[in-house]
Amino acid sequence: MSDSFDLIVIGAGMAGIASANKCAAQGWRVGIVDELPYGGTCALRGCDPKKILRRGAEVIDSAQLMSGTGIDQNGMALDWPALMERKRGFTDRVPKRMENELTGNGVTTFHGHAEFTGANELTIDGTAHRSDRFLIASGATPRPLDFPGAGNLIDSTGFLDLDQLPQKIVFIGGGFISFEFAHIAARAGADCVIIDRGSRPLRQFDPDLVELLISRTEQAGIRVLRNTTVTGIEATPAGHRVGIDTTGSAGSIDTGLVVHGAGRVPNLASLHLDAAGIASGRRGVTVAPHLQSTTNPAVYAAGDAADTPGHPLTPVAVFEGKVAASNMIRGTTIAPDYTGVPTTVFTIPELSRVGLLEHEAVEAGHDIAVRFTDTSHWYSTYRVAETTAAAKIIIDTASDRILGAHLLGLDYSELINTFGLAIKLGLTTQQLKSATATYPSLGSDLGSLL
């Protein structure tokens, strides 16, 4: 048995690291454990490396859009192995940097598998450790799929570490992962297919803008199959054959690679939560609004491992980790504020959202004004030769405040942050329109969108 800790954090991603550092700064004895290299999904296997690869795809797409307008592509192509090497130039440095920061702050770092053995005890690779408190920040893992041959898929981690890109790729699921990776792979020359079992991919985004994005996706050479289920995957000499059923019509797709993009679930199965009396459900550890377990007061949870109103986003995980740490340190019950948190699917162009969808605003009883604008012919879009751009802003007519903002366009992921701040601070459209932006910038479009 090791010495006791004030806090042991399970998961060395952004939520866990933020909490560990904050508590260690108070003089607490803090331990942190992870089976995987330190840094978590975002820095190593998700957001950051994905967007490095996307940059290469952006350059190719931009050159294609500008072809015939003064830009000669002259055989421009994406060198996948070289782009992957650039990605590793970032990700390879992360684990040591993260661990050095933790140890420099006095945190004891562990590498291995953790599982609970009691209300205040867990083992790490068989060695028992006691702690007054625990923070579960173990993140998420790909959702289990039960069709025959599901073991033939690779997940997002595998895709982001491919040394060579196959000529044909099938992405299963109509969410973030499939759309983002397909947009990257298509610009690298791959023939991509997205299979979605529902009628509406990217369901958490505005449906009108999603349809525009799907049209743009298909223009990039990516097929989107809706109302289609996967019946099985079998290996072939050339790769894989994916069996599909589209509204009762059976078929198959031959491909070199099949990627799991069908969602993620909290990574809790191997922690033996029952041994510590920790309640959980399909959305994660069951917590009170202030992130404390409802059944074991020694336990808190944050990020994708916690059942909270927050979206499964890295910034949400970070501020949940910090709020959980503050509550543990001060003995308070402060709940995180999820107001005005934007989210983006980084396709080319990207689709962003903050606040309520149109139907959510109506269902909440608001009297709304909807400002929909096709911005595909605006100067900011014409300048970059993009063909698809639009915005939908939802405004409460009684207060003149923004309830939701939905943007599709190149670099609109920057503009969505202004709308997020406006929602968080309760700014009116008149206040926003009173600001003078530098011109010509994308931000200068803000007033016209309102």
Side-chain angles (χ1 to χ4, degrees):
M1 175 75 71
S2 75
D3 294 335
S4 293
F5 288 88
D6 297 303
L7 170 68
I8 293 180
V9 177
I10 303 171
M14 295 299 100
I17 289 172
S19 181
N21 283 327
K22 190 175 182 71
C23 290
Q26 298 298 311
W28 283 18
R29 183 161 193 228
V30 178
I32 188 169
V33 57
D34 206 314
E35 290 183 273
L36 297 173
Y38 282 27
T41 297
C42 183
L44 298 177
R45 303 175 294 276
C47 325
D48 292 343
K50 166 199 72 186
K51 212 172 178 197
I52 290 174
L53 297 184
R54 181 183 185 263
R55 179 56 184 157
E58 285 178 289
V59 171
I60 296 296
D61 191 71
S62 295
Q64 291 172 346
L65 290 172
M66 294 290 290
S67 178
T69 65
I71 299 297
D72 182 359
Q73 295 182 68
N74 193 28
M76 179 183 289
L78 196 155
D79 183 336
W80 184 265
L83 185 62
M84 188 62 67
E85 188 62 27
R86 177 164 176 77
K87 181 224 72 167
R88 291 176 179 138
F90 172 82
T91 56
D92 287 356
R93 300 194 303 266
V94 170
K96 185 172 181 58
R97 177 168 58 83
M98 293 289 189
E99 187 162 6
N100 286 344
E101 178 187 4
L102 287 161
T103 56
N105 291 332
V107 178
T108 302
T109 58
F110 297 96
H111 298 267
H113 172 66
E115 60 184 57
F116 285 97
T117 53
N120 287 89
E121 184 177 297
L122 56 70
T123 62
I124 300 174
D125 286 347
T127 300
H129 302 269
R130 290 191 60 83
S131 181
D132 294 335
R133 304 164 196 83
F134 299 90
L135 176 72
I136 300 174
S138 49
T141 190
R143 182 184 305 280
L145 301 176
D146 58 3
F147 52 74
N152 289 308
L153 287 96
I154 68 166
D155 60 14
S156 55
T157 300
F159 180 88
L160 288 170
D161 208 28
L162 288 172
D163 290 321
Q164 298 290 336
L165 193 69
Q167 286 299 305
K168 296 183 178 181
I169 308 176
V170 169
F171 297 89
I172 296 178
F176 281 76
I177 292 173
S178 292
F179 272 83
E180 292 177 338
F181 288 0
H183 272 252
I184 293 169
R187 271 66 177 209
D191 178 8
C192 298
V193 179
I194 296 173
I195 298 176
D196 185 18
R197 65 180 181 180
S199 60
R200 202 182 104 197
L202 298 170
R203 292 183 61 84
Q204 59 270 65
F205 290 87
D206 178 81
D208 295 326
L209 298 191
V210 168
E211 291 304 321
L212 291 174
L213 175 59
I214 289 174
S215 294
R216 180 70 167 87
T217 299
E218 291 172 340
Q219 289 171 14
I222 302 163
R223 287 192 292 155
V224 180
L225 304 182
R226 311 193 211 195
N227 300 306
T228 300
T229 57
V230 175
T231 57
I233 302 174
E234 59 183 65
T236 66
H240 301 90
R241 178 164 294 153
V242 181
I244 59 174
D245 184 291
T246 304
T247 59
S249 178
S252 65
I253 303 171
D254 288 330
T255 186
L257 185 70
V258 189
V259 180
H260 186 315
R264 295 166 68 81
V265 296
N267 184 22
L268 301 171
S270 65
L271 295 183
H272 292 188
L273 300 182
D274 290 347
I278 304 167
S280 66
R282 64 179 185 84
R283 287 176 47 87
V285 174
T286 306
V287 294
H290 62 282
L291 305 176
Q292 187 175 27
S293 166
T294 58
T295 56
N296 182 341
V299 173
Y300 288 71
D304 294 355
D307 184 355
T308 73
H311 293 294
L313 304 168
T314 299
V316 171
V318 170
F319 71 64
E320 283 185 348
K322 290 179 178 178
V323 169
S326 293
N327 284 331
M328 286 187 279
I329 292 166
R330 300 171 185 171
T332 51
T333 56
I334 303 300
D337 179 8
Y338 300 101
T339 306
V341 177
T343 181
T344 298
V345 52
F346 282 100
T347 46
I348 303 173
E350 62 261 37
L351 175 63
S352 297
R353 167 197 176 172
V354 65
L356 301 177
L357 293 167
E358 187 175 348
H359 76 87
E360 292 173 338
V362 172
E363 291 167 2
H366 295 281
D367 184 10
I368 64 172
V370 178
R371 311 263 169 90
F372 178 84
T373 311
D374 180 349
T375 59
S376 62
H377 301 293
W378 283 25
Y379 169 79
S380 54
T381 307
Y382 178 85
R383 184 185 70 83
V384 295
E386 179 54 72
T387 60
T388 303
K392 181 185 286 188
I393 315 301
I394 301 162
I395 300 164
D396 182 87
T397 57
S399 65
D400 192 39
R401 292 179 176 176
I402 296 168
L403 299 173
H406 308 275
L407 308 178
L408 171 64
L410 191 66
D411 293 331
Y412 277 23
S413 57
E414 298 297 336
L415 190 56
I416 200 71
N417 294 321
T418 302
F419 284 105
L421 184 62
I423 291 174
K424 189 172 186 67
L425 299 181
L427 301 179
T428 66
T429 67
Q430 289 302 312
Q431 288 173 318
L432 282 174
K433 287 189 288 187
S434 71
T436 301
T438 186
Y439 183 86
S441 68
L442 186 61
S444 66
D445 287 349
L446 179 65
S448 299
L449 294 176
L450 297 170

